[in-house]
Amino acid sequence: MRIILVLSKAPIYSETFLTSKIRGLEKNGHEVVLCVDTKSSEDKAYDRVYALKSTGYFHKLSLLQGLMELFIFRPGRAIRFLQFERKSGMSIGTALKNMTISSHILKRDAEILHFGFSTLAKNRENVAKAMGIPMGVSIRGYDTSIYPLKHKNSHKMIWEQMTRLHYLSDDLLKDAIYHGFNPEIAHQKITPALNPDLFRVRKQLIEKNTLQLITVARLNWKKGIMYAIKAAKMLMDSGIKFHYQIIGSGEDEARLKYITRIWCLHERITFRGKLSHNQTIEEIQKADIFIMPSVQEGFCNAVLEAQASGCLCVVSDAQGLAENVLHERTGWVVPRRNARAIHNKVLEINKMSISDKQVIVNNAKDRIERQYTLDIQDASWLEFFESMLKSTPLKNPDLIKEGF
């Protein structure tokens, strides 16, 4: 089976959900062709990567070249795409524009087209139909929780043309339904997963003089880091000895550092910036409590890794986090946008006995090993794509060839 996976750019090593998905399919004998919007240094890590545009001064020329190649080498497919666009109510100008941003996909052959994010399918809804193959779509938090707030009915055509939907958590599916997804369309939940070989050691908790807190996240508003910093201020005012590491980078870094300074937390909070995946895991394993105060969160790989590392987790109730962590069984879930709740929960955990904490750590570790392994994820993706082929036979098998 040959699958075209559409992404904005080739995933970096730390984007484990995407990289493990690609490697898992390839391990099971399937070909994955990456069609990306922009070239990047990560392209060389994958066997087949086709970019829409090059970087630098020649990106417009590369777009024009891609469109010309499509008409020369795939004239039938180009004409079908334009016909479907016109039937969808697009003007000739808009149809040509949509063809241009889809030319690197339309030139390829495959049995399945899959968009790694639903927003990437916007203005490309007719591509799979023109190719005569089924179309899969993955939704993440941004796709259905944020993008539709600015773009009303943005997913209407996507829902109409897709064959099967992938989602990370039940809350994301509810968001999709709210924004017009018909639940009678085939859909399947596939969560992130971990490589169990990286987390074999079972952590034994010990008493410490200084509580070690940690967060791993992009530094933007969605992650709610400000609420964790406010909670840290309350902990300091409560006389708790702690140190809080924040690993990650992003557009809010300067603002968060400024708040940390004016609240006199600069000796209690360290911004580590972006670390390698291995370095990040090492720091998580040394910490006592992992805090994820997100305002919006599809699921969160970092929280899975924290639980697998033996770190006690306090997370907000933002969407998939409440599925990721089972309240009072594998960690604690507190209301989002509530610094006081984070502060109170950390105080409560700090007063718990080592044996009670160890029960939570062991529960979380056991659940990860039962439900969130790469083998389970690989099997789920195989089921996802094989079901697409079974439910939607190719409409034009002559389009599928062995070459490119």
PDB file of all heavy atoms in Angstrom, residues 119-153:
ATOM      1  N   THR A 119      -6.516  21.226   8.638  1.00  0.00           N
ATOM      2  CA  THR A 119      -6.364  22.535   8.012  1.00  0.00           C
ATOM      3  C   THR A 119      -5.539  22.465   6.730  1.00  0.00           C
ATOM      4  O   THR A 119      -5.654  23.332   5.864  1.00  0.00           O
ATOM      5  CB  THR A 119      -5.720  23.528   8.998  1.00  0.00           C
ATOM      6  OG1 THR A 119      -4.575  22.928   9.604  1.00  0.00           O
ATOM      7  CG2 THR A 119      -6.703  23.936  10.077  1.00  0.00           C
ATOM      8  N   LEU A 120      -4.707  21.429   6.593  1.00  0.00           N
ATOM      9  CA  LEU A 120      -3.932  21.251   5.359  1.00  0.00           C
ATOM     10  C   LEU A 120      -4.816  20.776   4.206  1.00  0.00           C
ATOM     11  O   LEU A 120      -4.416  20.860   3.040  1.00  0.00           O
ATOM     12  CB  LEU A 120      -2.794  20.254   5.586  1.00  0.00           C
ATOM     13  CG  LEU A 120      -1.670  20.724   6.520  1.00  0.00           C
ATOM     14  CD1 LEU A 120      -0.682  19.584   6.764  1.00  0.00           C
ATOM     15  CD2 LEU A 120      -0.941  21.928   5.933  1.00  0.00           C
ATOM     16  N   ALA A 121      -5.994  20.257   4.531  1.00  0.00           N
ATOM     17  CA  ALA A 121      -6.927  19.820   3.492  1.00  0.00           C
ATOM     18  C   ALA A 121      -7.765  20.977   2.958  1.00  0.00           C
ATOM     19  O   ALA A 121      -8.443  20.833   1.929  1.00  0.00           O
ATOM     20  CB  ALA A 121      -7.849  18.733   4.035  1.00  0.00           C
ATOM     21  N   LYS A 122      -7.710  22.119   3.639  1.00  0.00           N
ATOM     22  CA  LYS A 122      -8.463  23.293   3.195  1.00  0.00           C
ATOM     23  C   LYS A 122      -7.986  23.718   1.811  1.00  0.00           C
ATOM     24  O   LYS A 122      -6.781  23.864   1.558  1.00  0.00           O
ATOM     25  CB  LYS A 122      -8.263  24.430   4.200  1.00  0.00           C
ATOM     26  CG  LYS A 122      -9.025  25.699   3.890  1.00  0.00           C
ATOM     27  CD  LYS A 122     -10.517  25.492   4.007  1.00  0.00           C
ATOM     28  CE  LYS A 122     -11.266  26.798   3.739  1.00  0.00           C
ATOM     29  NZ  LYS A 122     -12.707  26.540   3.538  1.00  0.00           N
ATOM     30  N   ASN A 123      -8.916  23.890   0.869  1.00  0.00           N
ATOM     31  CA  ASN A 123      -8.659  24.228  -0.531  1.00  0.00           C
ATOM     32  C   ASN A 123      -8.013  23.078  -1.310  1.00  0.00           C
ATOM     33  O   ASN A 123      -7.596  23.266  -2.452  1.00  0.00           O
ATOM     34  CB  ASN A 123      -7.793  25.489  -0.659  1.00  0.00           C
ATOM     35  CG  ASN A 123      -8.441  26.700  -0.022  1.00  0.00           C
ATOM     36  OD1 ASN A 123      -9.647  26.891  -0.131  1.00  0.00           O
ATOM     37  ND2 ASN A 123      -7.658  27.517   0.660  1.00  0.00           N
ATOM     38  N   ARG A 124      -7.944  21.899  -0.672  1.00  0.00           N
ATOM     39  CA  ARG A 124      -7.453  20.691  -1.354  1.00  0.00           C
ATOM     40  C   ARG A 124      -8.481  19.567  -1.246  1.00  0.00           C
ATOM     41  O   ARG A 124      -8.152  18.388  -1.391  1.00  0.00           O
ATOM     42  CB  ARG A 124      -6.131  20.244  -0.722  1.00  0.00           C
ATOM     43  CG  ARG A 124      -4.956  21.191  -0.982  1.00  0.00           C
ATOM     44  CD  ARG A 124      -3.786  20.863  -0.090  1.00  0.00           C
ATOM     45  NE  ARG A 124      -2.576  21.582  -0.487  1.00  0.00           N
ATOM     46  CZ  ARG A 124      -1.559  21.839   0.328  1.00  0.00           C
ATOM     47  NH1 ARG A 124      -1.606  21.437   1.595  1.00  0.00           N
ATOM     48  NH2 ARG A 124      -0.504  22.483  -0.113  1.00  0.00           N
ATOM     49  N   GLU A 125      -9.717  19.939  -0.987  1.00  0.00           N
ATOM     50  CA  GLU A 125     -10.745  18.936  -0.720  1.00  0.00           C
ATOM     51  C   GLU A 125     -10.987  18.009  -1.906  1.00  0.00           C
ATOM     52  O   GLU A 125     -11.404  16.854  -1.725  1.00  0.00           O
ATOM     53  CB  GLU A 125     -12.067  19.625  -0.347  1.00  0.00           C
ATOM     54  CG  GLU A 125     -12.010  20.435   0.943  1.00  0.00           C
ATOM     55  CD  GLU A 125     -11.626  21.891   0.744  1.00  0.00           C
ATOM     56  OE1 GLU A 125     -11.085  22.208  -0.340  1.00  0.00           O
ATOM     57  OE2 GLU A 125     -11.883  22.708   1.643  1.00  0.00           O
ATOM     58  N   ASN A 126     -10.748  18.490  -3.133  1.00  0.00           N
ATOM     59  CA  ASN A 126     -11.051  17.689  -4.326  1.00  0.00           C
ATOM     60  C   ASN A 126      -9.846  16.922  -4.869  1.00  0.00           C
ATOM     61  O   ASN A 126      -9.960  16.270  -5.911  1.00  0.00           O
ATOM     62  CB  ASN A 126     -11.613  18.594  -5.430  1.00  0.00           C
ATOM     63  CG  ASN A 126     -13.039  19.044  -5.124  1.00  0.00           C
ATOM     64  OD1 ASN A 126     -13.878  18.234  -4.718  1.00  0.00           O
ATOM     65  ND2 ASN A 126     -13.312  20.327  -5.303  1.00  0.00           N
ATOM     66  N   VAL A 127      -8.728  16.988  -4.187  1.00  0.00           N
ATOM     67  CA  VAL A 127      -7.517  16.340  -4.694  1.00  0.00           C
ATOM     68  C   VAL A 127      -7.691  14.824  -4.764  1.00  0.00           C
ATOM     69  O   VAL A 127      -7.432  14.194  -5.798  1.00  0.00           O
ATOM     70  CB  VAL A 127      -6.292  16.702  -3.825  1.00  0.00           C
ATOM     71  CG1 VAL A 127      -5.082  15.870  -4.243  1.00  0.00           C
ATOM     72  CG2 VAL A 127      -5.974  18.185  -3.952  1.00  0.00           C
ATOM     73  N   ALA A 128      -8.108  14.202  -3.656  1.00  0.00           N
ATOM     74  CA  ALA A 128      -8.257  12.742  -3.640  1.00  0.00           C
ATOM     75  C   ALA A 128      -9.288  12.286  -4.672  1.00  0.00           C
ATOM     76  O   ALA A 128      -9.103  11.268  -5.346  1.00  0.00           O
ATOM     77  CB  ALA A 128      -8.667  12.283  -2.242  1.00  0.00           C
ATOM     78  N   LYS A 129     -10.355  13.058  -4.802  1.00  0.00           N
ATOM     79  CA  LYS A 129     -11.397  12.716  -5.770  1.00  0.00           C
ATOM     80  C   LYS A 129     -10.852  12.747  -7.187  1.00  0.00           C
ATOM     81  O   LYS A 129     -11.153  11.862  -8.009  1.00  0.00           O
ATOM     82  CB  LYS A 129     -12.555  13.711  -5.611  1.00  0.00           C
ATOM     83  CG  LYS A 129     -13.853  13.319  -6.290  1.00  0.00           C
ATOM     84  CD  LYS A 129     -14.935  14.319  -5.900  1.00  0.00           C
ATOM     85  CE  LYS A 129     -16.257  13.969  -6.562  1.00  0.00           C
ATOM     86  NZ  LYS A 129     -17.312  14.952  -6.203  1.00  0.00           N
ATOM     87  N   ALA A 130     -10.032  13.738  -7.484  1.00  0.00           N
ATOM     88  CA  ALA A 130      -9.427  13.821  -8.813  1.00  0.00           C
ATOM     89  C   ALA A 130      -8.450  12.682  -9.053  1.00  0.00           C
ATOM     90  O   ALA A 130      -8.259  12.241 -10.188  1.00  0.00           O
ATOM     91  CB  ALA A 130      -8.718  15.162  -8.978  1.00  0.00           C
ATOM     92  N   MET A 131      -7.824  12.186  -7.998  1.00  0.00           N
ATOM     93  CA  MET A 131      -6.877  11.077  -8.107  1.00  0.00           C
ATOM     94  C   MET A 131      -7.574   9.719  -8.084  1.00  0.00           C
ATOM     95  O   MET A 131      -6.957   8.700  -8.363  1.00  0.00           O
ATOM     96  CB  MET A 131      -5.859  11.150  -6.961  1.00  0.00           C
ATOM     97  CG  MET A 131      -4.984  12.400  -6.997  1.00  0.00           C
ATOM     98  SD  MET A 131      -3.952  12.587  -5.526  1.00  0.00           S
ATOM     99  CE  MET A 131      -2.752  11.276  -5.771  1.00  0.00           C
ATOM    100  N   GLY A 132      -8.852   9.715  -7.709  1.00  0.00           N
ATOM    101  CA  GLY A 132      -9.607   8.467  -7.667  1.00  0.00           C
ATOM    102  C   GLY A 132      -9.266   7.597  -6.483  1.00  0.00           C
ATOM    103  O   GLY A 132      -9.362   6.359  -6.569  1.00  0.00           O
ATOM    104  N   ILE A 133      -8.880   8.193  -5.352  1.00  0.00           N
ATOM    105  CA  ILE A 133      -8.484   7.425  -4.172  1.00  0.00           C
ATOM    106  C   ILE A 133      -9.188   7.975  -2.932  1.00  0.00           C
ATOM    107  O   ILE A 133      -9.645   9.114  -2.921  1.00  0.00           O
ATOM    108  CB  ILE A 133      -6.947   7.456  -3.964  1.00  0.00           C
ATOM    109  CG1 ILE A 133      -6.441   8.893  -3.801  1.00  0.00           C
ATOM    110  CG2 ILE A 133      -6.249   6.770  -5.134  1.00  0.00           C
ATOM    111  CD1 ILE A 133      -4.941   8.986  -3.527  1.00  0.00           C
ATOM    112  N   PRO A 134      -9.285   7.167  -1.857  1.00  0.00           N
ATOM    113  CA  PRO A 134      -9.932   7.646  -0.628  1.00  0.00           C
ATOM    114  C   PRO A 134      -9.077   8.672   0.099  1.00  0.00           C
ATOM    115  O   PRO A 134      -7.857   8.705  -0.038  1.00  0.00           O
ATOM    116  CB  PRO A 134     -10.106   6.370   0.203  1.00  0.00           C
ATOM    117  CG  PRO A 134      -9.080   5.425  -0.309  1.00  0.00           C
ATOM    118  CD  PRO A 134      -8.908   5.733  -1.763  1.00  0.00           C
ATOM    119  N   MET A 135      -9.753   9.485   0.905  1.00  0.00           N
ATOM    120  CA  MET A 135      -9.094  10.582   1.608  1.00  0.00           C
ATOM    121  C   MET A 135      -9.300  10.447   3.116  1.00  0.00           C
ATOM    122  O   MET A 135     -10.420  10.379   3.614  1.00  0.00           O
ATOM    123  CB  MET A 135      -9.681  11.906   1.116  1.00  0.00           C
ATOM    124  CG  MET A 135      -9.342  13.138   1.932  1.00  0.00           C
ATOM    125  SD  MET A 135     -10.110  14.600   1.158  1.00  0.00           S
ATOM    126  CE  MET A 135     -10.282  15.716   2.545  1.00  0.00           C
ATOM    127  N   GLY A 136      -8.180  10.385   3.835  1.00  0.00           N
ATOM    128  CA  GLY A 136      -8.206  10.370   5.291  1.00  0.00           C
ATOM    129  C   GLY A 136      -7.768  11.721   5.835  1.00  0.00           C
ATOM    130  O   GLY A 136      -7.004  12.441   5.200  1.00  0.00           O
ATOM    131  N   VAL A 137      -8.249  12.045   7.024  1.00  0.00           N
ATOM    132  CA  VAL A 137      -7.921  13.330   7.649  1.00  0.00           C
ATOM    133  C   VAL A 137      -7.689  13.119   9.142  1.00  0.00           C
ATOM    134  O   VAL A 137      -8.445  12.405   9.793  1.00  0.00           O
ATOM    135  CB  VAL A 137      -9.058  14.362   7.448  1.00  0.00           C
ATOM    136  CG1 VAL A 137      -8.782  15.630   8.238  1.00  0.00           C
ATOM    137  CG2 VAL A 137      -9.241  14.691   5.973  1.00  0.00           C
ATOM    138  N   SER A 138      -6.633  13.738   9.660  1.00  0.00           N
ATOM    139  CA  SER A 138      -6.396  13.770  11.104  1.00  0.00           C
ATOM    140  C   SER A 138      -6.749  15.150  11.635  1.00  0.00           C
ATOM    141  O   SER A 138      -6.460  16.158  10.990  1.00  0.00           O
ATOM    142  CB  SER A 138      -4.923  13.484  11.422  1.00  0.00           C
ATOM    143  OG  SER A 138      -4.591  12.135  11.172  1.00  0.00           O
ATOM    144  N   ILE A 139      -7.367  15.176  12.809  1.00  0.00           N
ATOM    145  CA  ILE A 139      -7.633  16.463  13.454  1.00  0.00           C
ATOM    146  C   ILE A 139      -6.819  16.568  14.737  1.00  0.00           C
ATOM    147  O   ILE A 139      -6.657  15.601  15.470  1.00  0.00           O
ATOM    148  CB  ILE A 139      -9.133  16.681  13.759  1.00  0.00           C
ATOM    149  CG1 ILE A 139      -9.726  15.505  14.554  1.00  0.00           C
ATOM    150  CG2 ILE A 139      -9.910  16.944  12.495  1.00  0.00           C
ATOM    151  CD1 ILE A 139     -11.129  15.759  15.070  1.00  0.00           C
ATOM    152  N   ARG A 140      -6.287  17.755  14.960  1.00  0.00           N
ATOM    153  CA  ARG A 140      -5.565  18.083  16.197  1.00  0.00           C
ATOM    154  C   ARG A 140      -6.293  19.232  16.872  1.00  0.00           C
ATOM    155  O   ARG A 140      -7.273  19.758  16.359  1.00  0.00           O
ATOM    156  CB  ARG A 140      -4.121  18.486  15.884  1.00  0.00           C
ATOM    157  CG  ARG A 140      -3.387  17.520  14.976  1.00  0.00           C
ATOM    158  CD  ARG A 140      -3.273  16.131  15.585  1.00  0.00           C
ATOM    159  NE  ARG A 140      -2.640  15.199  14.673  1.00  0.00           N
ATOM    160  CZ  ARG A 140      -1.337  15.018  14.581  1.00  0.00           C
ATOM    161  NH1 ARG A 140      -0.519  15.711  15.333  1.00  0.00           N
ATOM    162  NH2 ARG A 140      -0.853  14.122  13.742  1.00  0.00           N
ATOM    163  N   GLY A 141      -5.791  19.659  18.007  1.00  0.00           N
ATOM    164  CA  GLY A 141      -6.471  20.694  18.770  1.00  0.00           C
ATOM    165  C   GLY A 141      -6.691  21.976  17.991  1.00  0.00           C
ATOM    166  O   GLY A 141      -7.788  22.551  18.008  1.00  0.00           O
ATOM    167  N   TYR A 142      -5.666  22.435  17.291  1.00  0.00           N
ATOM    168  CA  TYR A 142      -5.779  23.687  16.536  1.00  0.00           C
ATOM    169  C   TYR A 142      -6.841  23.581  15.448  1.00  0.00           C
ATOM    170  O   TYR A 142      -7.586  24.537  15.201  1.00  0.00           O
ATOM    171  CB  TYR A 142      -4.424  24.027  15.913  1.00  0.00           C
ATOM    172  CG  TYR A 142      -4.458  25.235  15.005  1.00  0.00           C
ATOM    173  CD1 TYR A 142      -4.450  26.527  15.532  1.00  0.00           C
ATOM    174  CD2 TYR A 142      -4.508  25.094  13.622  1.00  0.00           C
ATOM    175  CE1 TYR A 142      -4.496  27.640  14.708  1.00  0.00           C
ATOM    176  CE2 TYR A 142      -4.550  26.196  12.783  1.00  0.00           C
ATOM    177  CZ  TYR A 142      -4.542  27.460  13.328  1.00  0.00           C
ATOM    178  OH  TYR A 142      -4.592  28.560  12.504  1.00  0.00           O
ATOM    179  N   ASP A 143      -6.924  22.410  14.808  1.00  0.00           N
ATOM    180  CA  ASP A 143      -7.811  22.231  13.655  1.00  0.00           C
ATOM    181  C   ASP A 143      -9.273  22.504  13.985  1.00  0.00           C
ATOM    182  O   ASP A 143      -9.983  23.149  13.204  1.00  0.00           O
ATOM    183  CB  ASP A 143      -7.692  20.803  13.111  1.00  0.00           C
ATOM    184  CG  ASP A 143      -6.326  20.513  12.532  1.00  0.00           C
ATOM    185  OD1 ASP A 143      -5.727  21.414  11.928  1.00  0.00           O
ATOM    186  OD2 ASP A 143      -5.849  19.372  12.681  1.00  0.00           O
ATOM    187  N   THR A 144      -9.733  21.968  15.121  1.00  0.00           N
ATOM    188  CA  THR A 144     -11.166  22.059  15.421  1.00  0.00           C
ATOM    189  C   THR A 144     -11.494  22.946  16.610  1.00  0.00           C
ATOM    190  O   THR A 144     -12.669  23.237  16.848  1.00  0.00           O
ATOM    191  CB  THR A 144     -11.742  20.645  15.689  1.00  0.00           C
ATOM    192  OG1 THR A 144     -10.974  20.009  16.718  1.00  0.00           O
ATOM    193  CG2 THR A 144     -11.711  19.812  14.425  1.00  0.00           C
ATOM    194  N   SER A 145     -10.481  23.376  17.369  1.00  0.00           N
ATOM    195  CA  SER A 145     -10.752  24.213  18.534  1.00  0.00           C
ATOM    196  C   SER A 145     -10.449  25.687  18.292  1.00  0.00           C
ATOM    197  O   SER A 145     -11.055  26.548  18.932  1.00  0.00           O
ATOM    198  CB  SER A 145      -9.919  23.731  19.738  1.00  0.00           C
ATOM    199  OG  SER A 145     -10.236  22.406  20.069  1.00  0.00           O
ATOM    200  N   ILE A 146      -9.515  25.972  17.393  1.00  0.00           N
ATOM    201  CA  ILE A 146      -9.066  27.349  17.210  1.00  0.00           C
ATOM    202  C   ILE A 146      -9.338  27.860  15.799  1.00  0.00           C
ATOM    203  O   ILE A 146      -9.954  28.919  15.615  1.00  0.00           O
ATOM    204  CB  ILE A 146      -7.561  27.467  17.544  1.00  0.00           C
ATOM    205  CG1 ILE A 146      -7.350  27.103  19.023  1.00  0.00           C
ATOM    206  CG2 ILE A 146      -7.036  28.861  17.239  1.00  0.00           C
ATOM    207  CD1 ILE A 146      -5.923  27.023  19.437  1.00  0.00           C
ATOM    208  N   TYR A 147      -8.904  27.122  14.782  1.00  0.00           N
ATOM    209  CA  TYR A 147      -9.059  27.576  13.394  1.00  0.00           C
ATOM    210  C   TYR A 147     -10.511  27.916  13.045  1.00  0.00           C
ATOM    211  O   TYR A 147     -10.771  28.972  12.439  1.00  0.00           O
ATOM    212  CB  TYR A 147      -8.508  26.506  12.446  1.00  0.00           C
ATOM    213  CG  TYR A 147      -8.453  26.943  11.006  1.00  0.00           C
ATOM    214  CD1 TYR A 147      -7.406  27.727  10.527  1.00  0.00           C
ATOM    215  CD2 TYR A 147      -9.451  26.562  10.109  1.00  0.00           C
ATOM    216  CE1 TYR A 147      -7.355  28.131   9.195  1.00  0.00           C
ATOM    217  CE2 TYR A 147      -9.413  26.949   8.785  1.00  0.00           C
ATOM    218  CZ  TYR A 147      -8.358  27.737   8.323  1.00  0.00           C
ATOM    219  OH  TYR A 147      -8.322  28.134   7.012  1.00  0.00           O
ATOM    220  N   PRO A 148     -11.504  27.095  13.416  1.00  0.00           N
ATOM    221  CA  PRO A 148     -12.889  27.433  13.049  1.00  0.00           C
ATOM    222  C   PRO A 148     -13.421  28.696  13.723  1.00  0.00           C
ATOM    223  O   PRO A 148     -14.425  29.254  13.263  1.00  0.00           O
ATOM    224  CB  PRO A 148     -13.682  26.196  13.513  1.00  0.00           C
ATOM    225  CG  PRO A 148     -12.685  25.097  13.568  1.00  0.00           C
ATOM    226  CD  PRO A 148     -11.415  25.753  14.026  1.00  0.00           C
ATOM    227  N   LEU A 149     -12.776  29.145  14.793  1.00  0.00           N
ATOM    228  CA  LEU A 149     -13.232  30.378  15.442  1.00  0.00           C
ATOM    229  C   LEU A 149     -13.033  31.582  14.530  1.00  0.00           C
ATOM    230  O   LEU A 149     -13.805  32.543  14.578  1.00  0.00           O
ATOM    231  CB  LEU A 149     -12.478  30.588  16.761  1.00  0.00           C
ATOM    232  CG  LEU A 149     -12.665  29.505  17.834  1.00  0.00           C
ATOM    233  CD1 LEU A 149     -11.820  29.831  19.054  1.00  0.00           C
ATOM    234  CD2 LEU A 149     -14.135  29.367  18.218  1.00  0.00           C
ATOM    235  N   LYS A 150     -11.992  31.521  13.704  1.00  0.00           N
ATOM    236  CA  LYS A 150     -11.710  32.618  12.769  1.00  0.00           C
ATOM    237  C   LYS A 150     -12.248  32.343  11.369  1.00  0.00           C
ATOM    238  O   LYS A 150     -12.391  33.273  10.572  1.00  0.00           O
ATOM    239  CB  LYS A 150     -10.198  32.843  12.695  1.00  0.00           C
ATOM    240  CG  LYS A 150      -9.569  33.323  13.991  1.00  0.00           C
ATOM    241  CD  LYS A 150      -8.061  33.399  13.880  1.00  0.00           C
ATOM    242  CE  LYS A 150      -7.611  34.408  12.839  1.00  0.00           C
ATOM    243  NZ  LYS A 150      -6.134  34.514  12.781  1.00  0.00           N
ATOM    244  N   HIS A 151     -12.528  31.078  11.076  1.00  0.00           N
ATOM    245  CA  HIS A 151     -12.943  30.694   9.717  1.00  0.00           C
ATOM    246  C   HIS A 151     -14.207  29.834   9.816  1.00  0.00           C
ATOM    247  O   HIS A 151     -14.132  28.599   9.893  1.00  0.00           O
ATOM    248  CB  HIS A 151     -11.824  29.932   9.011  1.00  0.00           C
ATOM    249  CG  HIS A 151     -10.508  30.645   9.017  1.00  0.00           C
ATOM    250  ND1 HIS A 151     -10.169  31.598   8.076  1.00  0.00           N
ATOM    251  CD2 HIS A 151      -9.451  30.570   9.863  1.00  0.00           C
ATOM    252  CE1 HIS A 151      -8.958  32.061   8.329  1.00  0.00           C
ATOM    253  NE2 HIS A 151      -8.501  31.456   9.405  1.00  0.00           N
ATOM    254  N   LYS A 152     -15.337  30.481   9.812  1.00  0.00           N
ATOM    255  CA  LYS A 152     -16.614  29.779   9.969  1.00  0.00           C
ATOM    256  C   LYS A 152     -16.865  28.824   8.810  1.00  0.00           C
ATOM    257  O   LYS A 152     -16.583  29.134   7.656  1.00  0.00           O
ATOM    258  CB  LYS A 152     -17.743  30.813  10.068  1.00  0.00           C
ATOM    259  CG  LYS A 152     -19.067  30.224  10.527  1.00  0.00           C
ATOM    260  CD  LYS A 152     -20.112  31.311  10.726  1.00  0.00           C
ATOM    261  CE  LYS A 152     -21.433  30.714  11.205  1.00  0.00           C
ATOM    262  NZ  LYS A 152     -22.471  31.774  11.377  1.00  0.00           N
ATOM    263  N   ASN A 153     -17.385  27.648   9.131  1.00  0.00           N
ATOM    264  CA  ASN A 153     -17.687  26.608   8.136  1.00  0.00           C
ATOM    265  C   ASN A 153     -16.451  26.189   7.340  1.00  0.00           C
ATOM    266  O   ASN A 153     -16.560  25.709   6.200  1.00  0.00           O
ATOM    267  CB  ASN A 153     -18.787  27.079   7.178  1.00  0.00           C
ATOM    268  CG  ASN A 153     -20.105  27.321   7.884  1.00  0.00           C
ATOM    269  OD1 ASN A 153     -20.476  26.578   8.793  1.00  0.00           O
ATOM    270  ND2 ASN A 153     -20.823  28.354   7.469  1.00  0.00           N
TER     271      ASN A 153
END
